[in-house]
Amino acid sequence: MSRGWQGRDVISVLDFKREDLEELFNLTMVMEKYSRSRLNILEDKILALAFFEPSTRTRLSFETAMHRLGGSTIGFVGEEATSIAKGESIADTIRMLDAYADAIVIRHSLEGVAKYAAEIAENPVINAGDGTQNHPTQAMLDLYTIWRELGEIDGLTIGILGDLKYARTVKSFIEGLTLFKPSKIYLISPQSLKPRREVLTILDIAGIKYEHVENIEDVIKYLDVLYVVRIQKERFPDVVEYERVRGSYRVTLETLKNVKDTLIILHPLPRVDELDPRVDNTKYARYFKQAAYGVPLRMALLTLIFGRESKV
Ligand code: NCD
């Protein structure tokens, strides 16, 4: 049985069921109509945005979503702007945000911070990325884009290319895929960037077929979806290790010579050099559309968390 959305923390995609995501997707489609106008259903709500790590899309799409719904936001980017710089603990910072706002969105480089914050805060906590672990609302957005662009997720062959070791978006995307029935997942990366064992275990438990490959060219023709991520330079414990894999994969027009007509290419962004800008003008590119869906998706998410869906 689904527990529904109202008042829930969003720490990992696996806290949710397929029917929860389908409810979110259906409401997101309705929100697409309002994502360039206004729907005043959260006028009495304040969302706190606590970004201890850099962000463009996640932070600004949450902020835009809240404003489109008539709500307000408070927050900061970088702990140097907060009293943490004076020695205050994260726990005390969370207590303050919880006292001022009705929900908290948090991003931090440390794994488990969102869960820790959820234990402290009375109000819902939404994980906007904790180290290499989770980025659940990005995965919901990734899955929504596939569902919206291709009509379904079940039965698809999906390639995930890049830094599968450190990218939290990859872990969350894979977790999200286990709520559906993709026919096969190709994990495409250099040896040293293969997914961590814990991520493979998630696929094993779900019984989803997967295969490791090193070269995108070997499997591109089978794919319905190609999901690309950048090398997560800031997560490498050693720059030498980073220098060794730097530039080791790149999607170009050449890569796309022999693909399915219906292929879609996704990327959580930002991109660095792994995706040639010339690909942007092909019919396969959906990553900017994906980023744009971030507003209606987060509008739907906030509406559900605040239990206001009957007002839509
Ligand atoms: C991602 C992140 O922060 O994990 N960005 C995002 O939210 N779209 C991906 C990344 O930084 O590579």
Short mmCIF file of all heavy atoms in Angstrom, two decimals, residues 53-55 57-58 107 128-129 131 135 138 167-169 229-232 234-235 267-270 298, ligand 1:
data_model
loop_
_atom_site.label_atom_id
_atom_site.label_comp_id
_atom_site.label_asym_id
_atom_site.label_seq_id
_atom_site.Cartn_x
_atom_site.Cartn_y
_atom_site.Cartn_z
N GLU A 53 26.25 23.03 -1.37
CA GLU A 53 27.07 22.73 -2.56
C GLU A 53 26.49 23.53 -3.73
O GLU A 53 25.32 23.87 -3.72
CB GLU A 53 26.91 21.25 -2.94
CG GLU A 53 27.89 20.30 -2.34
CD GLU A 53 27.89 18.97 -3.10
OE1 GLU A 53 26.85 18.57 -3.67
OE2 GLU A 53 28.94 18.34 -3.12
N PRO A 54 27.31 23.77 -4.78
CA PRO A 54 26.81 24.53 -5.92
C PRO A 54 25.61 23.86 -6.59
O PRO A 54 25.47 22.64 -6.55
CB PRO A 54 27.99 24.54 -6.90
CG PRO A 54 29.19 24.20 -6.08
CD PRO A 54 28.72 23.38 -4.94
N SER A 55 24.76 24.68 -7.20
CA SER A 55 23.59 24.17 -7.92
C SER A 55 23.05 25.27 -8.81
O SER A 55 23.07 26.44 -8.42
CB SER A 55 22.50 23.78 -6.92
OG SER A 55 21.30 23.48 -7.59
N ARG A 57 20.29 24.27 -11.68
CA ARG A 57 18.96 23.78 -12.01
C ARG A 57 18.11 23.38 -10.82
O ARG A 57 16.95 23.75 -10.72
CB ARG A 57 19.04 22.56 -12.95
CG ARG A 57 19.19 22.92 -14.40
CD ARG A 57 19.99 21.87 -15.11
NE ARG A 57 21.35 21.93 -14.65
CZ ARG A 57 22.30 22.66 -15.23
NH1 ARG A 57 22.05 23.32 -16.32
NH2 ARG A 57 23.52 22.72 -14.73
N THR A 58 18.68 22.58 -9.93
CA THR A 58 17.87 22.05 -8.84
C THR A 58 17.35 23.18 -7.96
O THR A 58 16.16 23.27 -7.67
CB THR A 58 18.70 21.03 -8.01
OG1 THR A 58 19.22 20.05 -8.91
CG2 THR A 58 17.83 20.35 -6.97
N ARG A 107 21.02 20.33 0.08
CA ARG A 107 22.10 19.69 -0.69
C ARG A 107 23.40 19.86 0.09
O ARG A 107 23.69 20.95 0.58
CB ARG A 107 22.23 20.34 -2.07
CG ARG A 107 23.52 19.91 -2.78
CD ARG A 107 23.62 20.40 -4.19
NE ARG A 107 22.66 19.74 -5.06
CZ ARG A 107 22.65 19.90 -6.39
NH1 ARG A 107 23.53 20.67 -6.97
NH2 ARG A 107 21.75 19.27 -7.12
N ALA A 128 18.25 17.19 -2.01
CA ALA A 128 18.62 17.71 -3.34
C ALA A 128 20.03 17.28 -3.71
O ALA A 128 20.68 17.91 -4.54
CB ALA A 128 18.48 19.23 -3.35
N GLY A 129 20.50 16.20 -3.07
CA GLY A 129 21.84 15.66 -3.37
C GLY A 129 22.68 15.58 -2.11
O GLY A 129 22.93 16.60 -1.48
N GLY A 131 26.30 14.08 -1.29
CA GLY A 131 27.54 13.43 -1.72
C GLY A 131 27.31 12.54 -2.93
O GLY A 131 26.68 12.95 -3.90
N HIS A 135 19.94 11.60 -5.20
CA HIS A 135 19.40 12.86 -5.72
C HIS A 135 18.00 12.50 -6.25
O HIS A 135 17.77 12.48 -7.45
CB HIS A 135 20.32 13.39 -6.81
CG HIS A 135 20.04 14.79 -7.26
ND1 HIS A 135 18.90 15.48 -6.91
CD2 HIS A 135 20.76 15.64 -8.04
CE1 HIS A 135 18.94 16.68 -7.48
NE2 HIS A 135 20.05 16.80 -8.15
N GLN A 138 15.91 14.51 -8.88
CA GLN A 138 16.49 14.44 -10.23
C GLN A 138 16.06 13.15 -10.91
O GLN A 138 15.66 13.15 -12.08
CB GLN A 138 18.02 14.52 -10.16
CG GLN A 138 18.71 14.42 -11.52
CD GLN A 138 18.44 15.61 -12.42
OE1 GLN A 138 18.50 16.75 -11.99
NE2 GLN A 138 18.12 15.35 -13.69
N ALA A 167 28.61 9.40 -9.51
CA ALA A 167 27.45 10.25 -9.79
C ALA A 167 26.23 9.79 -8.99
O ALA A 167 25.72 8.70 -9.19
CB ALA A 167 27.13 10.25 -11.28
N ARG A 168 25.76 10.68 -8.11
CA ARG A 168 24.57 10.34 -7.31
C ARG A 168 23.33 10.28 -8.19
O ARG A 168 22.37 9.58 -7.87
CB ARG A 168 24.39 11.36 -6.19
CG ARG A 168 24.28 12.80 -6.70
CD ARG A 168 24.40 13.78 -5.56
NE ARG A 168 24.46 15.16 -6.04
CZ ARG A 168 25.00 16.14 -5.33
NH1 ARG A 168 25.50 15.91 -4.13
NH2 ARG A 168 25.01 17.37 -5.79
N THR A 169 23.33 11.05 -9.29
CA THR A 169 22.16 11.00 -10.17
C THR A 169 22.03 9.61 -10.78
O THR A 169 20.93 9.14 -11.02
CB THR A 169 22.26 12.03 -11.31
OG1 THR A 169 23.44 11.78 -12.06
CG2 THR A 169 22.26 13.44 -10.79
N VAL A 229 26.31 11.22 -18.01
CA VAL A 229 26.70 12.08 -16.87
C VAL A 229 28.16 12.50 -17.01
O VAL A 229 28.97 11.78 -17.59
CB VAL A 229 26.53 11.39 -15.49
CG1 VAL A 229 25.09 11.35 -15.07
CG2 VAL A 229 27.17 10.01 -15.45
N ARG A 230 28.48 13.64 -16.44
CA ARG A 230 29.86 14.14 -16.48
C ARG A 230 30.72 13.38 -15.46
O ARG A 230 30.18 12.77 -14.53
CB ARG A 230 29.90 15.64 -16.16
CG ARG A 230 29.62 15.93 -14.71
CD ARG A 230 29.64 17.42 -14.34
NE ARG A 230 29.12 17.54 -12.99
CZ ARG A 230 29.86 17.60 -11.89
NH1 ARG A 230 31.17 17.59 -11.97
NH2 ARG A 230 29.31 17.68 -10.69
N ILE A 231 32.02 13.47 -15.62
CA ILE A 231 32.92 12.94 -14.58
C ILE A 231 32.81 13.86 -13.37
O ILE A 231 32.91 15.08 -13.48
CB ILE A 231 34.38 12.87 -15.09
CG1 ILE A 231 34.46 11.88 -16.25
CG2 ILE A 231 35.32 12.45 -13.95
CD1 ILE A 231 35.87 11.58 -16.74
N GLN A 232 32.55 13.27 -12.21
CA GLN A 232 32.30 14.05 -10.99
C GLN A 232 33.64 14.40 -10.33
O GLN A 232 34.00 13.87 -9.28
CB GLN A 232 31.41 13.23 -10.03
CG GLN A 232 30.16 12.64 -10.68
CD GLN A 232 29.05 13.65 -10.85
OE1 GLN A 232 28.59 14.24 -9.87
NE2 GLN A 232 28.58 13.84 -12.08
N GLU A 234 34.84 16.65 -8.52
CA GLU A 234 34.96 17.06 -7.11
C GLU A 234 34.87 15.90 -6.13
O GLU A 234 35.16 16.06 -4.94
CB GLU A 234 33.89 18.12 -6.79
CG GLU A 234 32.44 17.65 -6.79
CD GLU A 234 31.78 17.57 -8.17
OE1 GLU A 234 32.49 17.40 -9.19
OE2 GLU A 234 30.54 17.64 -8.21
N ARG A 235 34.46 14.70 -6.61
CA ARG A 235 34.33 13.55 -5.70
C ARG A 235 35.59 12.68 -5.66
O ARG A 235 35.69 11.77 -4.86
CB ARG A 235 33.17 12.64 -6.12
CG ARG A 235 31.87 13.36 -6.36
CD ARG A 235 31.03 13.53 -5.10
NE ARG A 235 29.82 14.25 -5.43
CZ ARG A 235 29.40 15.36 -4.80
NH1 ARG A 235 30.07 15.84 -3.80
NH2 ARG A 235 28.29 15.95 -5.17
N HIS A 267 20.53 13.97 -19.92
CA HIS A 267 21.72 14.34 -19.15
C HIS A 267 21.20 15.21 -18.00
O HIS A 267 20.44 16.14 -18.24
CB HIS A 267 22.68 15.14 -20.06
CG HIS A 267 24.06 15.33 -19.50
ND1 HIS A 267 24.30 15.82 -18.24
CD2 HIS A 267 25.29 15.10 -20.04
CE1 HIS A 267 25.62 15.88 -18.03
NE2 HIS A 267 26.24 15.45 -19.11
N PRO A 268 21.60 14.93 -16.76
CA PRO A 268 21.08 15.78 -15.67
C PRO A 268 21.66 17.20 -15.72
O PRO A 268 21.10 18.10 -15.11
CB PRO A 268 21.55 15.04 -14.41
CG PRO A 268 22.74 14.24 -14.82
CD PRO A 268 22.50 13.87 -16.27
N LEU A 269 22.77 17.35 -16.47
CA LEU A 269 23.50 18.62 -16.57
C LEU A 269 24.05 19.01 -15.19
O LEU A 269 23.47 18.62 -14.19
CB LEU A 269 22.63 19.73 -17.16
CG LEU A 269 22.03 19.42 -18.54
CD1 LEU A 269 21.07 20.54 -18.96
CD2 LEU A 269 23.11 19.24 -19.60
N PRO A 270 25.11 19.71 -15.04
CA PRO A 270 25.86 20.36 -16.11
C PRO A 270 26.70 19.38 -16.93
O PRO A 270 27.12 18.36 -16.44
CB PRO A 270 26.77 21.31 -15.33
CG PRO A 270 27.00 20.62 -14.02
CD PRO A 270 25.72 19.92 -13.72
N ARG A 298 8.66 19.70 -10.01
CA ARG A 298 8.82 20.14 -8.61
C ARG A 298 7.57 20.87 -8.13
O ARG A 298 7.26 20.84 -6.94
CB ARG A 298 10.12 20.93 -8.45
CG ARG A 298 11.33 20.00 -8.66
CD ARG A 298 12.67 20.61 -8.42
NE ARG A 298 13.70 19.59 -8.39
CZ ARG A 298 14.54 19.30 -9.41
NH1 ARG A 298 14.47 19.99 -10.54
NH2 ARG A 298 15.41 18.32 -9.29
C1 NCD B 1 23.71 16.84 -10.71
C2 NCD B 1 24.14 16.77 -9.26
O1 NCD B 1 24.24 17.79 -8.58
O2 NCD B 1 24.30 15.65 -8.79
N1 NCD B 1 23.24 18.08 -11.09
C3 NCD B 1 21.87 18.31 -11.07
O3 NCD B 1 21.27 18.40 -10.02
N2 NCD B 1 21.23 18.37 -12.25
C4 NCD B 1 24.63 16.26 -11.68
C5 NCD B 1 26.05 16.69 -11.70
O4 NCD B 1 26.48 17.57 -10.95
O5 NCD B 1 26.78 16.14 -12.54
#
